[in-house]
Amino acid sequence: MRDPRYDILFEPVQIGPVTARNRFYQVPHCNGMGYRDPSGEAYMRRVKAEGGWAVVCTEQVEIHPTSDIGPFIELRIWDDQDVPALARIADKIHEGGALAGIELAHNGLNSPNLISRETPLAPQNLPVATFSYDPIQARSMTKSDIADLRRWHREAVRRSLQAGYDIVYVYAGHALGGLHHFLSPRYNNRTDEYGGSLTNRMRFLREVLEDTREEADGKAAVACRITIDELLGDAGITKAEIEDVIGSIGEHPDLWDFVLGSWEDDSVTSRFGPEGEQEPYVRGLKQLTTKPVVGVGRFTSPDMMVHQVKSGILDLIGAARPSIADPFLPRKIETGDLEDIRECIGCNICVSGDFTMSPIRCTQNPTMGEEFRRGWHPERIRPKTSDSHVLVVGAGPAGLEAARALGNRGYTVSLAESSRALGGRVEREAKLPGLSAWIRVVDYRVQQIAKLDNVDVFLQSEMTADDILDNDFDHVLLATGAHWRADGVGRWHTHPIDTADGAEVLTPDSIMAGVRPRGRRVVLFDDDHYYLGGVVAELLAKEGFDVTLLTPGAHVSEWTVNTMEVARIRKRLIRAGVACRTNTTLTRVDSDGVGTACVFTGDDGHLPADSVVMVTARMPENRLLDALTARQNGWAQAGLKSVKAVGDAWAPSTIAAAVWAGHRYAEELEEPPAPVVPFRREVTELVAEPDKLLPLTPIQTVRS
Ligand code: ADP
Ligand code: SF4
């Protein structure tokens, strides 16, 4: 039963003409599915509605071909052709009992229009402000462009109503939309009535809000999503300006949705910002309007949510990531099942779906993005089909998730772990600087497993092939993980590098096991390019070592561009005194240092060092798999039907991939084999060919 302390979170909230059933609000968030996988998106949103969110929104929806942010995959409402896909999303949200919100966006300076080839539009002539340096400039909008954009927005509102949306957005946030660019002194240097004073800079926003209101005509609520501080001082939008904006047009929309700075600022990872980080910025704004306000802060704690409402900071608890990690968060609070909440760890793997244009995945929630494709559900799984006994070897993220999900299916499960602790790599990595929230991956699963009578956990139980064949297991899952290699092999070197006798080479495994370099001077070679190289460098620098990080990448921790951490990581390393050498590789390890080479010229150099830390690649821990495979003839006699390795033991990857692989094993055990393409997909529909085709060039006969 619900704790009465949380009753306030379940009060309905009036948003203009519509009513949210409670205060849980899934704010717009991208997902890498969009127009390519609309049914995938529809079912993902449906699960959230089912999980109790009162409002479930789309990501940004491009209103016109001049707002084409390809190659990124969002939604489109360019013309009537887009309406059926948008309607399916709204319908699925309604099926789950939530209000459907649509975030209409004209991306302006942020749309390179690579697909449409239209000229980008902006307050002034400027190069496009995209994530890559597209060699494209936007054109300063004329009055007639402004009139056009207002008309396109009206048409998009009309189509949104047709598609069944209850809340229609006007988007002026994250520096990702034209209305933000007009509002910001950083982008707007116009001298007409749309530039200069704040009144002028917000004119366009006011006009579009008025248009939207008129067009919605009381049939849908109007929401305004706005950046409340660009964090650029007077060079950008300040909170003081936003106070004036709300003072002036505070009653124009039916709801204010506050965001902080750019998307990087708004979706900060747990490594760089705590839950509720935005509170000081949002505080006080609600008092400037009678309309409800929503804001985010990676909220997973109901007490923190209550605090937001009771102290008059927010009316609605906004969430993107917490709703991804646990689509059933509101329901679990409602039923008092707080220990079942799968708390977001703040890693931004979900964000990487957008950046890599692939369907959203989540470290904590392996079913995310698989609701339609594979029919997975975050809270339900089909019952077992036999009384088989499954042994899971290894209690890292893959083994824990497999044991949890198999247990939920009703199988008898034994989970054997050789060490004294559950969690595998996560248990170790969560002790590194900034990664403590990652332990939630382990905590959630250990808690869930503890509730299952049919899952037995054995610590300090190193399994051998004999142990397995001498016991009565029907299926064996090997989730034995991987270890970091010390021979330099990775992306740059595909064969071991020369290492002098007596040189000290450490790996993240040795550092996490407590080993420390023997001297002060450490060279860390990062050819992995995700977070760990940077984190280990930070740890050693904080402990007083003199660290140089070498990487063949153009950036330190280069892949974290996809989790929006790359700039913060560099800043933190600079502040910690780590010397960063990019575009540089390690060529050999000498007894007194390392050989280096520029990745472009090959020019070599030498860096003195007492120790080297290799963060390059991992080797699967597959000795047990090999031993069992060698004895396959004995399986039938032992009653063993299958042996399978998943996660890092099969091929090292992210924690998210390990959790997913463990989950997949549990979903598919003793199920009929999947077809060649093991998931549903939507294939581009062919339209009718044009009536008049350009004639083919006649083939010239060449006479010899
Ligand atoms: P993954 O990310 O794939 O889940 P991890 O490396 O995090 O992999 O976890 C693997 C776990 O398996 C570690 O906790 C390790 O101690 C355990 N392990 C490895 N080999 C054995 C074995 N033979 N018997 C029991 N546990 C094992
Ligand atoms: Fe949270 Fe990471 Fe899941 Fe995103 S991927 S929702 S940040 S746990």
Side-chain angles (χ1 to χ4, degrees):
M1 280 304 294
R2 179 167 93 209
D3 186 326
R5 274 186 301 164
Y6 305 137
D7 285 353
I8 195 169
L9 300 175
F10 293 89
E11 291 169 353
V13 179
Q14 194 68 34
I15 308 174
V18 297
T19 309
R21 59 183 163 178
N22 59 41
R23 296 184 187 271
F24 294 91
Y25 191 110
Q26 183 245 273
V27 293
H29 72 76
C30 63
N31 52 85
M33 297 199 276
Y35 68 81
R36 188 197 51 215
D37 300 309
S39 294
E41 170 157 358
Y43 279 72
M44 176 269 281
R45 304 281 184 204
R46 177 182 187 256
V47 165
K48 298 203 198 188
E50 184 193 354
W53 300 86
V55 179
V56 176
C57 298
T58 66
E59 70 275 38
Q60 47 173 306
V61 182
E62 300 165 1
I63 64 167
H64 190 261
T66 52
S67 172
D68 150 33
I69 64 163
F72 299 103
I73 296 178
E74 317 292 323
L75 286 166
R76 293 168 175 166
I77 190 161
W78 290 0
D79 66 14
D80 289 343
Q81 278 194 83
D82 294 315
V83 173
L86 294 167
R88 175 166 289 186
I89 297 169
D91 288 350
K92 293 296 149 190
I93 294 170
H94 290 151
E95 276 178 26
L99 297 172
I102 183 166
E103 187 185 46
L104 301 180
H106 191 282
N107 298 91
L109 201 49
N110 193 246
S111 42
N113 298 336
L114 297 173
I115 297 166
S116 70
R117 301 185 184 177
E118 296 293 345
T119 304
L121 298 169
Q124 58 167 315
N125 288 298
L126 275 178
V128 290
T130 51
F131 291 100
S132 45
Y133 293 113
D134 297 293
I136 298 166
Q137 282 209 195
R139 186 172 59 78
S140 174
M141 287 172 78
T142 62
K143 297 285 169 53
S144 101
D145 291 325
I146 290 175
D148 283 345
L149 199 153
R150 289 180 60 180
R151 197 182 67 252
W152 301 331
H153 204 277
R154 275 181 180 272
E155 284 165 9
V157 175
R158 215 172 297 146
R159 291 193 176 100
S160 302
L161 297 184
Q162 213 183 316
Y165 285 88
D166 311 288
I167 300 175
V168 181
Y169 266 76
V170 171
Y171 184 39
H174 297 133
L176 296 177
L179 296 174
H180 175 128
H181 302 138
F182 268 78
L183 194 58
S184 169
R186 172 164 159 74
Y187 301 104
N188 185 343
N189 72 344
R190 298 175 75 97
T191 51
D192 63 3
E193 67 268 36
Y194 289 93
S197 67
L198 180 64
T199 309
N200 283 355
R201 281 185 277 123
M202 74 170 153
R203 186 179 308 279
F204 199 10
L205 174 63
R206 182 171 53 70
E207 289 173 349
V208 173
L209 275 169
E210 285 165 1
D211 295 342
T212 305
R213 230 192 141 77
E214 198 177 294
E215 209 58 57
D217 193 23
K219 296 187 196 80
V222 177
C224 182
R225 196 169 210 208
I226 195 163
T227 287
I228 51 173
D229 195 325
E230 266 186 309
L231 307 175
L232 299 171
D234 288 342
I237 299 168
T238 58
K239 184 173 174 188
E241 284 195 333
I242 290 300
E243 286 166 355
D244 289 344
V245 169
I246 300 176
S248 157
I249 54 171
E251 303 301 307
H252 273 53
D254 299 307
L255 168 89
W256 286 97
D257 179 341
F258 296 136
V259 302
L260 180 64
S262 63
W263 188 18
E264 287 90 330
D265 302 312
D266 204 32
S267 293
V268 70
T269 58
S270 57
R271 194 171 160 190
F272 295 100
E275 180 175 349
E277 196 193 35
Q278 307 184 354
E279 187 178 318
Y281 297 93
V282 179
R283 187 181 277 281
L285 294 179
K286 177 180 144 48
Q287 282 64 39
L288 305 174
T289 169
T290 66
K291 306 293 177 167
V293 306
V294 62
V296 294
R298 230 170 52 242
F299 298 123
T300 56
S301 142
D303 293 307
M304 171 68 109
M305 298 174 193
V306 168
H307 159 76
Q308 297 293 317
V309 179
K310 284 208 168 148
S311 28
I313 299 164
L314 299 174
D315 296 293
L316 291 145
I317 303 302
R321 291 171 293 177
S323 76
I324 294 167
D326 197 339
F328 274 57
L329 179 69
R331 273 216 189 189
K332 290 174 184 175
I333 298 172
E334 188 162 27
T335 53
D337 297 310
L338 301 191
E339 76 286 355
D340 291 339
I341 295 174
R342 216 169 22 250
E343 287 185 285
C344 168
I345 70 166
C347 63
N348 278 6
I349 279 290
C350 48
V351 172
S352 76
D354 191 57
F355 276 84
T356 58
M357 300 124 215
S358 54
I360 184 169
R361 77 187 314 166
C362 168
T363 303
Q364 273 285 54
N365 174 11
T367 68
M368 179 49 44
E370 302 287 14
E371 302 84 353
F372 172 74
R373 292 204 315 183
R374 295 178 203 260
W376 293 0
H377 189 279
E379 303 300 320
R380 285 194 298 275
I381 189 162
R382 67 179 73 84
K384 65 178 183 177
T385 51
S386 77
D387 289 331
S388 292
H389 183 183
V390 188
L391 170 69
V392 177
V393 184
L400 283 174
E401 173 61 17
R404 182 200 72 81
L406 287 167
N408 277 344
R409 286 192 67 186
Y411 283 105
T412 303
V413 181
S414 299
L415 173 60
E417 164 58 45
S418 56
S419 73
R420 290 161 188 267
L422 297 172
R425 61 180 286 196
V426 176
E427 192 268 330
R428 297 187 295 274
E429 291 181 23
K431 293 178 183 139
L432 295 170
L435 303 187
S436 60
W438 292 22
I439 201 63
R440 292 171 169 184
V441 173
V442 180
D443 290 346
Y444 165 71
R445 291 177 171 81
V446 170
Q447 287 242 25
Q448 296 299 304
I449 288 171
K451 290 187 180 183
L452 294 165
D453 293 338
N454 49 327
V455 181
D456 288 321
V457 179
F458 304 92
L459 284 172
Q460 292 178 273
S461 303
E462 169 111 35
M463 299 302 284
T464 63
D466 281 337
D467 297 332
I468 291 171
L469 294 172
D470 290 348
N471 276 289
D472 247 0
F473 301 116
D474 297 287
H475 301 281
V476 173
L477 176 67
L478 303 175
T480 46
H483 56 267
W484 287 92
R485 42 199 306 169
D487 58 5
V489 170
R491 289 187 165 84
W492 191 268
H493 298 288
T494 50
H495 301 282
I497 60 171
D498 288 340
T499 302
D501 289 343
E504 184 182 62
V505 180
L506 304 175
T507 67
D509 291 326
S510 40
I511 300 288
M512 288 189 282
V515 179
R516 285 299 176 265
R518 61 188 175 192
R520 246 176 73 87
R521 298 167 310 169
V522 180
V523 166
L524 184 143
F525 180 50
D526 184 3
D527 198 18
D528 171 60
H529 307 279
Y530 192 17
Y531 58 91
L532 204 56
V535 171
V536 172
E538 180 185 339
L539 171 80
L540 294 177
K542 283 183 174 157
E543 288 183 1
F545 293 94
D546 203 345
V547 185
T548 302
L549 187 151
L550 282 190
T551 178
H555 294 285
V556 171
S557 301
E558 182 147 352
W559 196 79
T560 63
V561 75
N562 299 305
T563 56
M564 304 194 301
E565 293 173 289
V566 75
R568 287 177 198 263
I569 289 173
R570 191 65 173 264
K571 178 174 168 187
R572 186 168 280 181
L573 292 187
I574 293 169
R575 295 270 186 265
V578 174
C580 299
R581 289 225 198 160
T582 52
N583 296 129
T584 309
T585 191
L586 188 85
T587 51
R588 58 179 194 284
V589 182
D590 304 326
S591 52
D592 62 344
V594 298
T596 66
C598 166
V599 298
F600 304 117
T601 63
D603 290 350
D604 57 359
H606 182 266
L607 261 180
D610 304 309
S611 293
V612 176
V613 182
M614 293 285 187
V615 189
T616 58
R618 286 175 289 161
M619 285 300 279
E621 192 55 72
N622 49 18
R623 282 171 297 182
L624 190 50
L625 176 65
D626 292 345
L628 284 169
T629 308
R631 294 173 62 182
Q632 195 153 1
N633 291 341
W635 291 9
Q637 203 191 347
L640 185 56
K641 300 187 191 85
S642 76
V643 174
K644 199 170 164 36
V646 298
D648 293 337
W650 188 241
S653 183
T654 57
I655 297 167
V659 172
W660 182 89
H663 189 85
R664 181 185 190 178
Y665 176 85
E667 289 271 0
E668 295 181 353
L669 186 71
E670 298 184 336
E671 292 299 313
V676 177
V677 179
F679 48 81
R680 277 180 213 96
R681 65 193 174 123
E682 270 156 347
V683 177
T684 304
E685 184 193 1
L686 295 179
V687 296
E689 296 187 53
D691 295 337
K692 285 188 194 139
L693 285 173
L694 286 177
L696 289 170
T697 314
I699 298 168
Q700 303 284 331
T701 312
V702 182
R703 290 201 190 141
S704 55

